Amino acid sequence: MTEKPEYLPEQMARLADEEAARFITDGLLSGKENVPSIALNQVTEPLPESPRRRLRAVRDLIDDAMYLHRNERPTQVDAWLAPRLHAILRLTRAEAADPAAWNYLALGVAPDFVVWRHLSEQKKTVNAQYFKGPHHKQAFARLWWAAELFRDGPDYEPAVTACGNQDMLNTVLRLDVIDHRPTAQALVRLLRQGVARTGRDANALAKAVNAAAATLMYDVIAPDVPRDGDAVRRWVDEGEAGLTILHRPLPTGPAEERAPESSVEHLTESFAQLFADAPVRGVRTEEEPPA
């Protein structure tokens, strides 16, 4: 099985897509080869030095995640790792939108995690997009963005709930509507209430909500408060000060105001009705004859 890199620099770096592609070999994707870390680090672009870009803290977190979930299905690591990765990296959204940084994290810092987490038992290989792919697919970008979009102000608990359902990650992160905070919180609330229980439920719910967004302006019928850029900046600056994040307790996110409760309640009721009328793959209604 792919092992952790033999060489780990002090600081994060960028690995451009074209350079990353050179290291995504069939041997790596099958878990039979390691990434030549020294050669990889010779083609990276260094980022400005900062305590929040120190790789040892990130690598220690990933080691802990793999150890704690060693006897479980790898999918169960997502809910634990997402908020902690978000809290340790302390990225702005602009920084998190840079795919080259995620390429480096996957190939230069933790290729062993990517293989452990995403190796298909059936195909005996890893989809290359988990190493180099869009934000909703790449192994670490998807977790960071899930924590960012599903947190409720400083509270990561909604992100934990969302990441506990793989279809919520695989489907909802692709949708533009998820950037509307009351929408994200309403979806999580339906998971907690048991309205949407399975992965197929979450998939059907997400599709119904996204389709309805074509005619319903969620930000109008369920307004959000303006984002607090100062709170996010203070949170990022705490990372510049070199703070330590403990792994076991759930961390605290930026001290932004939570999504308005009235808006979340309104959308929760609306989405529950949408879901009641939505077809769920694999579920036959009483009117439908068996195939």
Side-chain angles (χ1 to χ4, degrees):
M1 188 66 76
T2 299
E3 300 174 343
K4 69 169 63 176
E6 61 182 13
Y7 171 68
L8 187 69
E10 289 285 331
Q11 296 278 326
M12 278 280 291
R14 300 179 72 255
L15 182 64
D17 282 348
E18 59 271 23
E19 297 292 351
R22 294 170 42 198
F23 296 94
I24 304 175
T25 63
D26 290 342
L28 173 64
L29 295 178
S30 63
K32 297 177 181 178
E33 293 180 0
N34 297 327
V35 175
S37 56
I38 294 178
L40 181 145
N41 279 281
Q42 290 175 340
V43 296
T44 59
E45 175 189 343
L47 289 169
E49 292 190 6
S50 164
R52 65 189 175 93
R53 297 192 182 98
R54 289 175 182 165
L55 291 177
R56 177 48 56 194
V58 177
R59 183 66 229 195
D60 286 348
L61 175 68
I62 292 168
D63 286 339
D64 207 11
M66 296 173 69
Y67 175 79
L68 289 174
H69 297 84
R70 65 193 183 281
N71 296 323
E72 303 171 0
R73 291 182 61 84
T75 53
Q76 293 185 271
V77 77
D78 292 350
W80 187 89
L81 183 55
R84 292 163 176 84
L85 181 70
H86 186 271
I88 280 181
L89 283 178
R90 300 286 169 118
L91 302 175
T92 65
R93 286 194 174 190
E95 290 170 331
D98 179 13
W102 299 117
N103 292 343
Y104 182 74
L105 196 57
L107 287 161
V109 180
D112 53 322
F113 172 86
V114 180
V115 171
W116 172 80
R117 168 60 185 84
H118 293 289
L119 184 69
S120 169
E121 295 181 1
Q122 293 181 332
K123 298 180 180 180
K124 307 301 180 184
T125 189
V126 176
N127 186 327
Q129 287 192 323
Y130 287 116
F131 283 100
K132 180 181 73 70
H135 78 279
H136 56 79
K137 190 73 172 180
Q138 204 273 351
F140 294 108
R142 68 196 286 268
L143 296 179
W144 192 94
W145 280 104
E148 171 68 8
L149 294 172
F150 284 109
R151 66 179 173 84
D152 192 11
D155 183 11
Y156 282 120
E157 283 289 356
V160 173
T161 299
C163 292
N165 186 304
Q166 287 301 302
D167 278 86
M168 189 65 75
L169 278 173
N170 296 335
T171 301
V172 176
L173 279 187
R174 303 168 182 260
L175 308 179
D176 290 339
V177 294
I178 201 59
D179 198 38
H180 180 238
R181 298 195 309 156
T183 294
Q185 295 309 310
L187 291 171
V188 169
R189 192 161 294 185
L190 290 174
L191 288 179
R192 288 176 169 171
Q193 292 174 354
V195 174
R197 298 185 299 274
T198 67
R200 288 180 175 181
D201 288 346
N203 196 356
L205 172 63
K207 290 180 178 179
V209 168
N210 193 55
T215 55
L216 297 176
M217 300 182 67
Y218 295 147
D219 57 341
V220 173
I221 64 174
D224 193 5
V225 295
R227 297 296 306 274
D228 188 346
D230 290 339
V232 174
R233 174 48 60 188
R234 289 193 298 270
W235 180 77
V236 170
D237 288 344
E238 288 177 359
E240 296 285 1
L243 82 170
T244 299
I245 301 295
L246 300 177
H247 296 176
R248 297 303 186 269
L250 190 66
T252 301
E256 290 186 284
E257 188 174 342
R258 295 173 185 266
E261 179 61 22
S262 59
S263 294
V264 176
E265 286 186 355
H266 179 62
L267 288 184
T268 300
E269 294 174 2
S270 298
F271 293 170
Q273 184 58 52
L274 287 174
F275 177 68
D277 299 331
V280 178
R281 183 171 56 87
V283 177
R284 180 169 57 86
T285 66
E286 294 180 0
E287 292 78 14
E288 290 177 332

